[in-house]
Amino acid sequence: MDRILLAHGSGGQLSHDLIRDLFLPHFPAPTLAKLDDAAVVQPLASAATGAQPNISRASRLAFTTDSYVVKPLFFNGGDIGRLAVCGTVNDLAMVGATPLYLSAGFVIEEGLEMETLRRVVASMKASAEEAGVEVVAGDTKVVERGGADRLFINTAGLGAVPPGIEISASNAQPGDLVILSGAIGDHGLAVLSEREGLAFKSQLASDAAPLNHLVSAMLEVSPEIHVLRDPTRGGLATTLNEIARQSQAAIAIEESRIPVHEDVRAACEMLGYDPLYVANEGKLVAMVAPHAAEAVLQAMHGDPYGKEATIIGEVMAQPVGKVLLRTGIGGTRIVDMLAGEMLPRIC
Amino acid sequence: MDRILLAHGSGGQLSHDLIRDLFLPHFPAPTLAKLDDAAVVQPLASAATGAQPNISRASRLAFTTDSYVVKPLFFNGGDIGRLAVCGTVNDLAMVGATPLYLSAGFVIEEGLEMETLRRVVASMKASAEEAGVEVVAGDTKVVERGGADRLFINTAGLGAVPPGIEISASNAQPGDLVILSGAIGDHGLAVLSEREGLAFKSQLASDAAPLNHLVSAMLEVSPEIHVLRDPTRGGLATTLNEIARQSQAAIAIEESRIPVHEDVRAACEMLGYDPLYVANEGKLVAMVAPHAAEAVLQAMHGDPYGKEATIIGEVMAQPVGKVLLRTGIGGTRIVDMLAGEMLPRIC
């Protein structure tokens, strides 16, 4: 393939190929190769001096970045500013880190209304306050008309990983139960319906939300959370495939246990989308040791963003790298990663 | 002003107005309000637990971000990849930090040649190796044709600030000598001539370079470096104005002592540009206690990127916030910040 396609940004198979074939050979950091939502590195003082840190006692550092190119900028339930804060906060939370600091880089098309920028920044402020993070560094670039589509935002995030926490998409273990924090597909359908001016759009609202407090509540009741990941681009199906591959395990889920809001289900049927592949911005999936699952689930139900949390399946040893869906009528089918691009510019 | 203009991204007066009027009211972090090239925050472990760190002993954290939208992507002496690494490494170095980790966020226009992306990533790898930093986190978004101009890159950077270092654009002190690390204007003219296909372009080469090793060499001989800043967008004149305002001091420089390569001088004369306002990507300006200046200068001369370093002026108490230029014919004029936009998409 000699040109970049939209599907290279889908979060699905082509995105993974691009990372494996082009980025990883040039950037060989082991933390990058783990393909987790955030890189976990040793404490800075040790990194600077070359001293071996005592990992068991010191907080490690979590570092992550995401660019946001969602179109339109505002949609029911959120906007690019809320996404830019929540998405990066969530990437930190998905390695068990306490998010602390964000940077914000704006690429703005000449002619953007100042009021639009002001609304976006106010939304970032509100989301940052909700998450309890500070925006401490920023940058603004302006390109000529036609050089960009209104506004892109990049955020990078820094957090501290408490001692003893080892959460990674590589850590799923056979026997682990799979917990999903709530219904899937809301974000993708909300953005799509806003973009296309679909009639049912008023009923669909993005789930964009910071999940760090939910994760804190989970970690408080049990350290035996092996995997956390938020199913954004590519949806739940792609995320589960990533975990199955990185953990060299299989994941079996029950279709009937996966919550999907009625309006999302109806819109997906009408449009021919599978909610398993639709992006979420305020959901997480967790792989938890079986004896800890009930306590973790209880803790999740006490958080506003975990009220609908439910166990949807389990991790198995075989077939390695595969995700199996037990359907409502009793069959089992293999669910693959997203191929191609379903909804460009969803985040 | 109700719309974003190109000049809001110039690094000059309108950029400062935008930061002051729109961003700072929403993001009140004191580290952001200092307007230094990187935010210096307390060690993460202390931030997460709320404990008061012993700043005198622990390394603090430096955190910064920049987006790169340079056009064209490749030019004599550099490319967007080298800029994206060096620019962020330099922002860390300008607060005295040892740069350690980078994130990289790519926004790619559908249809970009894979080979172009590969060349850019290879250039980032080479520059990261030269600087001694690791790219540990990344993200890729693809927008449809016409939604962006080929390729934008955001990098965020993390570094460790050694104990005892307090470098800030607010710290210039009357009596300090002003050291410039080399000739100005090379980057801006190299990009411009490439873009416009000017005949003399082969003689002009960008100075894009990582300055962290140069800064290390300077700090090794003296802790009395009060200010470091790299004069990028807006050029040396804008940078000196920022320092004068933030330090509530005046800065006087001698026109005849400011090195400008002959080909840059000739191109500027032909095109009507003032080299004082042209962007650099591999130069720094330092304000140093007078008794330490000679040793710092010697150390700079030993580094490949400091060979042409020279003292160009001094810091004074009055007139507060102003930059004075003593011209070749003996006059003195006030040099203001860049107003408007001279060369859009220079970095």
Side-chain angles (χ1 to χ4, degrees):
Chain A
M1 208 159 301
D2 64 349
R3 287 188 183 267
I4 292 288
L5 309 177
L6 275 177
H8 282 112
S10 67
Q13 188 60 52
L14 276 183
S15 299
H16 283 79
D17 294 350
L18 184 68
I19 291 166
R20 186 194 59 208
D21 299 341
L22 199 149
F23 292 114
L24 289 185
H26 287 96
F27 303 134
T31 43
L32 189 66
K34 283 183 83 174
L35 298 177
D36 280 327
D37 284 340
V40 177
V41 294
Q42 54 178 327
L44 284 196
S46 320
T49 60
Q52 283 305 310
N54 185 338
I55 291 289
S56 63
R57 292 189 48 220
S59 284
R60 290 147 298 160
L61 191 77
F63 186 30
T64 189
T65 190
D66 257 323
S67 300
Y68 299 85
V69 299
V70 66
K71 182 179 185 171
L73 298 177
F74 301 91
F75 43 84
N76 200 11
D79 57 78
I80 191 172
R82 183 160 175 85
L83 283 189
V85 169
C86 296
T88 294
V89 160
N90 291 348
D91 281 346
L92 293 173
M94 294 309 124
V95 295
T98 304
L100 296 169
Y101 302 114
L102 295 187
S103 67
F106 298 83
V107 173
I108 309 175
E109 184 187 15
E110 180 190 11
L112 183 77
E113 318 77 42
M114 199 65 86
E115 184 52 29
T116 297
L117 185 59
R118 196 172 284 118
R119 278 175 67 197
V120 168
V121 171
S123 171
M124 292 179 75
K125 172 193 164 80
S127 299
E129 283 176 355
E130 182 183 354
V133 296
E134 269 191 301
V135 177
V136 297
D139 177 56
T140 306
K141 292 291 189 307
V142 181
V143 300
E144 73 284 4
R145 269 172 213 273
D149 190 2
R150 307 195 74 201
L151 176 64
F152 302 145
I153 302 176
N154 175 285
T155 49
L158 269 186
V161 185
I165 301 283
E166 288 296 342
I167 295 171
S168 166
S170 317
N171 287 355
Q173 288 159 32
D176 281 356
L177 294 177
V178 180
I179 301 178
L180 177 65
S181 68
I184 59 170
D186 298 65
H187 174 71
L189 270 291
V191 172
L192 177 75
S193 62
E194 190 78 38
R195 193 189 300 167
E196 308 296 339
L198 298 183
F200 47 74
K201 78 176 179 190
S202 62
Q203 296 145 45
L204 297 167
S206 168
D207 59 346
L211 298 175
N212 54 317
H213 302 308
L214 172 63
V215 170
S216 292
M218 295 166 70
L219 286 171
E220 220 162 83
V221 298
S222 174
E224 292 188 79
I225 297 167
H226 300 140
V227 178
L228 288 173
R229 187 158 276 199
D230 53 340
T232 55
R233 283 185 291 179
L236 181 64
T238 300
T239 294
L240 292 176
N241 268 280
E242 290 167 353
I243 297 168
R245 291 182 190 187
Q246 289 169 231
S247 295
Q248 291 289 296
I251 299 172
I253 53 173
E254 304 262 354
E255 189 173 43
S256 62
R257 309 195 71 158
I258 299 169
V260 182
H261 291 145
E262 197 41 50
D263 48 359
V264 170
R265 192 183 299 277
C268 277
E269 273 177 21
M270 191 179 348
L271 299 164
Y273 288 128
D274 182 341
L276 281 174
Y277 291 94
V278 178
N280 312 278
E281 289 289 343
K283 296 299 175 326
L284 65 79
V285 60
M287 315 279 159
V288 182
H291 60 271
E294 192 51 44
V296 170
L297 203 56
Q298 289 301 325
M300 293 176 78
H301 289 157
D303 186 277
Y305 299 127
K307 282 191 195 313
E308 299 176 350
T310 182
I311 293 169
I312 61 165
E314 62 187 319
V315 179
M316 306 184 307
Q318 298 285 341
V320 168
K322 300 294 183 197
V323 176
L324 307 175
L325 180 76
R326 295 188 194 117
T327 60
I329 56 167
T332 297
R333 66 176 173 93
I334 287 180
V335 172
D336 211 342
M337 236 177 222
L338 176 65
E341 173 58 284
M342 197 164 61
L343 297 168
R345 298 185 61 185
I346 210 70
C347 61
Chain B
M1 207 161 302
D2 65 348
R3 286 188 184 267
I4 292 287
L5 309 177
L6 275 176
H8 283 112
S10 67
Q13 188 61 52
L14 276 183
S15 299
H16 283 79
D17 294 350
L18 184 68
I19 291 167
R20 186 195 58 210
D21 299 340
L22 199 148
F23 291 114
L24 289 186
H26 287 96
F27 303 134
T31 43
L32 189 67
K34 282 183 84 174
L35 298 177
D36 280 327
D37 284 339
V40 177
V41 294
Q42 55 179 328
L44 284 196
S46 320
T49 60
Q52 284 304 310
N54 185 339
I55 291 287
S56 63
R57 292 187 49 221
S59 284
R60 290 147 298 160
L61 191 77
F63 186 30
T64 189
T65 190
D66 257 323
S67 300
Y68 299 85
V69 299
V70 67
K71 182 179 186 172
L73 298 177
F74 302 90
F75 43 84
N76 199 11
D79 58 77
I80 191 172
R82 183 161 175 83
L83 283 189
V85 169
C86 296
T88 294
V89 160
N90 291 348
D91 281 348
L92 293 174
M94 295 308 126
V95 296
T98 304
L100 296 169
Y101 303 115
L102 295 187
S103 67
F106 298 83
V107 174
I108 308 174
E109 184 187 15
E110 180 190 12
L112 183 77
E113 317 77 42
M114 199 64 87
E115 184 52 30
T116 297
L117 185 60
R118 196 171 285 118
R119 278 175 67 199
V120 167
V121 171
S123 172
M124 292 179 76
K125 172 193 164 81
S127 300
E129 283 176 356
E130 182 183 355
V133 296
E134 269 190 301
V135 177
V136 296
D139 176 56
T140 306
K141 292 291 190 305
V142 181
V143 299
E144 72 284 4
R145 269 173 215 272
D149 191 2
R150 307 195 74 201
L151 176 63
F152 303 145
I153 302 177
N154 175 286
T155 48
L158 268 186
V161 185
I165 301 283
E166 289 294 344
I167 295 171
S168 165
S170 317
N171 287 355
Q173 287 159 31
D176 281 356
L177 293 177
V178 179
I179 301 178
L180 177 65
S181 68
I184 59 171
D186 298 65
H187 175 71
L189 270 291
V191 173
L192 177 75
S193 62
E194 191 77 39
R195 192 188 301 167
E196 308 296 339
L198 299 183
F200 47 74
K201 78 176 179 190
S202 62
Q203 297 144 46
L204 298 167
S206 169
D207 59 347
L211 299 175
N212 54 317
H213 302 307
L214 173 63
V215 170
S216 292
M218 295 166 70
L219 287 171
E220 220 162 83
V221 297
S222 174
E224 293 189 78
I225 298 167
H226 300 141
V227 178
L228 287 174
R229 187 158 277 199
D230 53 339
T232 55
R233 282 185 291 180
L236 181 64
T238 300
T239 294
L240 292 177
N241 269 279
E242 289 167 354
I243 297 168
R245 291 182 190 186
Q246 288 169 233
S247 294
Q248 291 288 297
I251 299 172
I253 54 173
E254 303 262 354
E255 189 172 44
S256 62
R257 308 194 71 158
I258 299 169
V260 183
H261 292 144
E262 198 41 49
D263 48 359
V264 170
R265 193 184 298 276
C268 277
E269 273 176 20
M270 192 179 346
L271 299 165
Y273 289 128
D274 183 341
L276 282 174
Y277 291 94
V278 178
N280 312 278
E281 289 290 343
K283 296 299 176 322
L284 65 79
V285 61
M287 315 278 160
V288 182
H291 60 270
E294 192 51 43
V296 170
L297 203 57
Q298 289 300 324
M300 293 175 78
H301 289 157
D303 185 277
Y305 298 127
K307 282 191 195 314
E308 299 176 349
T310 183
I311 293 169
I312 61 164
E314 62 187 318
V315 179
M316 305 184 306
Q318 299 285 342
V320 168
K322 299 294 182 197
V323 176
L324 307 175
L325 181 75
R326 295 190 194 115
T327 62
I329 55 167
T332 296
R333 66 176 173 94
I334 287 180
V335 171
D336 210 344
M337 234 176 224
L338 177 64
E341 172 59 282
M342 198 164 61
L343 297 169
R345 298 186 60 183
I346 210 69
C347 63

